Amino acid sequence: MGILKEVTDDIKIVSDSIKNIKSIYEAIKDGKKYIETQHPEIKSDVAAMCEEMKKTCAAIATASRVITNFRFNSSDMDKDPTRFNEWFIKYKTNKNEAGNLIRSLKGHCQKIKYHADKISQGNQDSFWKYLGFNTEEKNKELGELLQGIYNDERDLYNTVYKMAESMNAAIEDVTEALCLNGMMHSSKVPEAALKLNEYRTIFKELETSAAKTEDNLNEIVQELN
């Protein structure tokens, strides 16, 4: 399996976490008016849950930009290998750096669980009824999504590991493309730029999804506070 394929597969796992958060956001958005009219007492707890989910999205978007924000410069290729090395050096030399970046910004899933449990006394079906969802099928579907976010706490290592490993694999692959006889060389910039563009496409999709969901959550937080 090629490095690009491995990175694509690993980033899909991270993307699925964002999709889970997006689905929870959409359910809360649908139930916002019901909360405001029928259960205003839970507004602050729902807002707190959204704030923590927003942090997770912000972390993933921020980490993705490490890959997406770099561009090689065709008009000054002699300096590009040095620029690339300076941009990525802390991620290349210490594989934990990317993980630390994500972990330091990531939302705390236990805080989400605390506020959800506070609202529903631990009954997930009851939680969604507070948002106006009363069908058994819908409550089961939404309950599983919420459980998935709880599980992110258990799977935090896996999610952060996948993101960090993907970032570092991409960086190392582009670095290898920049090298000629073991040294970074300006003649290899076009080849490295093509490879970086492949990775940028993958990470840009993740960044866009995470950033958009972050913005949506921020709107809900402001409306509920």
Side-chain angles (χ1 to χ4, degrees):
M1 183 184 293
I3 295 175
L4 181 63
K5 177 65 164 58
E6 290 180 3
V7 170
T8 301
D9 290 346
D10 286 347
I11 287 301
K12 184 181 183 303
I13 294 172
V14 182
S15 295
D16 286 344
S17 295
I18 298 298
K19 288 177 183 177
N20 192 0
I21 291 173
K22 182 180 179 182
S23 296
I24 293 290
Y25 152 75
E26 289 172 347
I28 291 174
K29 180 183 178 183
D30 288 344
K32 186 173 73 68
K33 287 185 179 179
Y34 188 86
I35 296 171
E36 290 173 337
T37 59
Q38 301 299 318
H39 294 288
E41 74 278 5
I42 72 169
K43 285 173 59 177
S44 61
D45 286 295
V46 174
M49 290 172 61
C50 291
E51 183 67 35
E52 295 304 321
M53 290 188 288
K54 187 182 79 171
K55 290 178 185 177
T56 295
C57 293
I60 298 301
T62 298
S64 297
R65 292 181 188 117
V66 172
I67 301 294
T68 63
N69 280 8
F70 184 87
R71 295 288 192 281
F72 287 107
N73 184 357
S74 62
S75 64
D76 198 6
M77 287 193 297
D78 285 343
K79 295 181 179 178
D80 269 352
T82 299
R83 286 179 53 242
F84 177 85
N85 194 54
E86 289 174 349
W87 180 264
F88 288 122
I89 191 165
K90 66 178 178 179
Y91 300 101
K92 286 171 48 187
T93 56
N94 183 354
K95 67 186 299 183
N96 293 323
E97 285 293 332
N100 289 340
L101 169 63
I102 304 163
R103 193 178 294 106
S104 67
L105 296 171
K106 194 177 187 301
H108 299 288
C109 302
Q110 280 304 116
K111 289 185 180 180
I112 296 172
K113 188 174 189 305
Y114 166 77
H115 289 286
D117 286 348
K118 181 180 174 184
I119 293 167
S120 62
Q121 290 79 51
N123 185 332
Q124 287 177 183
D125 285 351
S126 175
F127 174 83
W128 293 112
K129 287 176 183 176
Y130 273 97
L131 275 72
F133 299 102
N134 292 308
T135 66
E136 182 178 345
E137 181 180 356
K138 189 65 175 178
N139 283 339
K140 183 176 184 296
E141 174 191 341
L142 293 173
E144 288 174 354
L145 287 173
L146 192 58
Q147 186 63 49
I149 289 182
Y150 296 167
N151 288 346
D152 277 349
E153 178 77 7
R154 183 193 65 197
D155 297 335
L156 173 61
Y157 173 81
N158 186 53
T159 302
V160 172
Y161 176 83
K162 290 295 184 186
M163 185 71 183
E165 285 295 297
S166 295
M167 290 169 63
N168 282 288
I171 291 165
E172 292 299 333
D173 202 22
V174 175
T175 300
E176 186 64 27
L178 266 176
C179 289
L180 180 66
N181 297 324
M183 298 181 292
M184 286 187 170
H185 199 279
S186 60
S187 67
K188 302 289 285 182
V189 167
E191 180 181 339
L194 288 174
K195 191 170 287 289
L196 180 60
N197 282 339
E198 290 181 310
Y199 288 114
R200 184 182 295 114
T201 298
I202 300 168
F203 282 92
K204 189 63 181 180
E205 184 177 349
L206 177 62
E207 176 195 340
T208 300
S209 176
K212 182 174 177 55
T213 306
E214 177 193 357
D215 289 342
N216 290 338
L217 286 164
N218 189 53
E219 289 178 8
I220 286 286
V221 170
Q222 291 180 8
E223 291 170 3
L224 289 172
N225 283 332

